[in-house]
Amino acid sequence: MSVYTLAGQEALSDPFVQFSTWYQDAKTVYAREEEASAMALSTCTPTAKPSCRTVLLKDFSTKGFSFYTNYTSRKSTELEANPYAALVLHWPKLGRQVRIEGHVVRAPKEQSDKYFATRPKGSKVGAWVSHQSKEVKDREELLCEWRKLDEKFKDSEDVPRPEFWGGWTVVPYSIEFWSNGEFRLHDRVVYRREDTNVNRWSMKRLSP
């Protein structure tokens, strides 16, 4: 058996295929998709002050892992100034974790439009209302603004995407798969690449 095993199973040579397999397993085990797609996103200012929050994975492909947010939020401000990020998806029921590190780019407008169109109307209106990370007086201030905009769009389901809202894609140069092991001897297989434009990876097994 190869040294690149995860819980006794051979790790696949393509980390995107390996991730897809694990992600499908997670969506099968967790009743709510949000539980499977929740991921910690860590960003950092140019002066090395970190911050972390939970976002939802909405798209992934060989181009990277995408989430959506307000472009004026703290996370977006930090990504604009320091375009690198780390992600962690943890699935305790499966005893699995995936760590992703890479540089970030804004998702194409067409991709953001396509995802925004799938959101419930109330959430679309909410995207217009929220000036994410800015101070507000109280919750009623937000609800009052939401009601005004909901009235404005009452005759249409086609609420346009705000220009200040859209996707970010983490283009990975490192993806690590972790699987819980007996005696805390966990399996860790990391994939790394030098050129993020080429889907060619090296594999290494790490000590737990």
Side-chain angles (χ1 to χ4, degrees):
M1 181 176 288
S2 166
V3 296
Y4 305 120
T5 57
L6 294 162
Q9 296 182 345
E10 184 77 16
L12 303 175
S13 60
D14 186 328
F16 293 113
V17 179
Q18 181 68 54
F19 180 84
S20 180
T21 299
W22 275 23
Y23 190 49
Q24 291 301 318
D25 289 345
K27 289 198 290 185
T28 299
V29 168
Y30 289 95
R32 298 173 63 244
E33 185 173 350
E34 290 83 355
E35 294 178 291
S37 63
M39 58 185 183
L41 164 68
S42 295
T43 58
C44 200
T45 69
T47 55
K49 293 180 179 179
S51 63
C52 187
R53 76 288 289 158
T54 300
V55 296
L56 298 179
L57 175 65
K58 290 299 182 181
D59 299 297
F60 76 90
S61 69
T62 55
K63 295 180 180 179
F65 301 82
S66 299
F67 62 93
Y68 296 85
T69 189
N70 189 306
Y71 285 141
T72 67
S73 65
R74 177 180 176 180
K75 69 177 83 66
S76 290
T77 300
E78 292 183 357
L79 290 173
E80 291 282 6
N82 186 9
Y84 295 90
L87 304 170
V88 176
L89 294 100
H90 183 211
W91 301 302
K93 290 182 180 179
L94 293 171
R96 292 174 177 176
Q97 175 178 278
V98 181
R99 297 173 58 195
I100 300 163
E101 299 171 11
H103 72 265
V104 298
V105 294
R106 284 199 184 195
K109 290 183 177 181
E110 298 77 13
Q111 179 179 323
S112 293
D113 287 339
K114 182 178 180 180
Y115 169 68
F116 192 78
T118 68
R119 289 165 64 91
K121 183 179 180 181
S123 297
K124 293 177 184 177
V125 175
W128 281 95
V129 172
S130 175
H131 301 286
Q132 198 172 107
S133 302
K134 304 300 187 293
E135 184 177 353
V136 294
K137 178 182 177 182
D138 52 30
R139 181 170 179 79
E140 184 56 34
E141 180 181 343
L142 291 173
L143 293 175
C144 181
E145 185 63 22
W146 184 91
R147 286 190 287 264
K148 290 178 182 177
L149 287 173
D150 189 49
E151 177 67 19
K152 176 181 177 181
F153 294 117
K154 68 178 182 179
D155 296 325
S156 175
E157 289 293 323
D158 188 21
V159 179
R161 176 181 63 85
E163 285 296 318
F164 57 79
W165 190 100
W168 286 101
T169 299
V170 178
V171 183
Y173 49 72
S174 175
I175 305 177
E176 180 189 318
F177 295 85
W178 176 99
S179 181
N180 187 45
E182 190 178 15
F183 311 122
R184 300 189 67 81
L185 297 178
H186 313 304
D187 289 325
R188 295 175 64 191
V189 175
V190 63
Y191 300 73
R192 295 192 177 103
R193 62 180 175 178
E194 296 296 326
D195 186 350
T196 55
N197 292 312
V198 179
N199 194 30
R200 185 181 301 117
W201 302 79
S202 64
M203 296 173 64
K204 291 183 179 180
R205 184 180 179 89
L206 304 180
S207 174

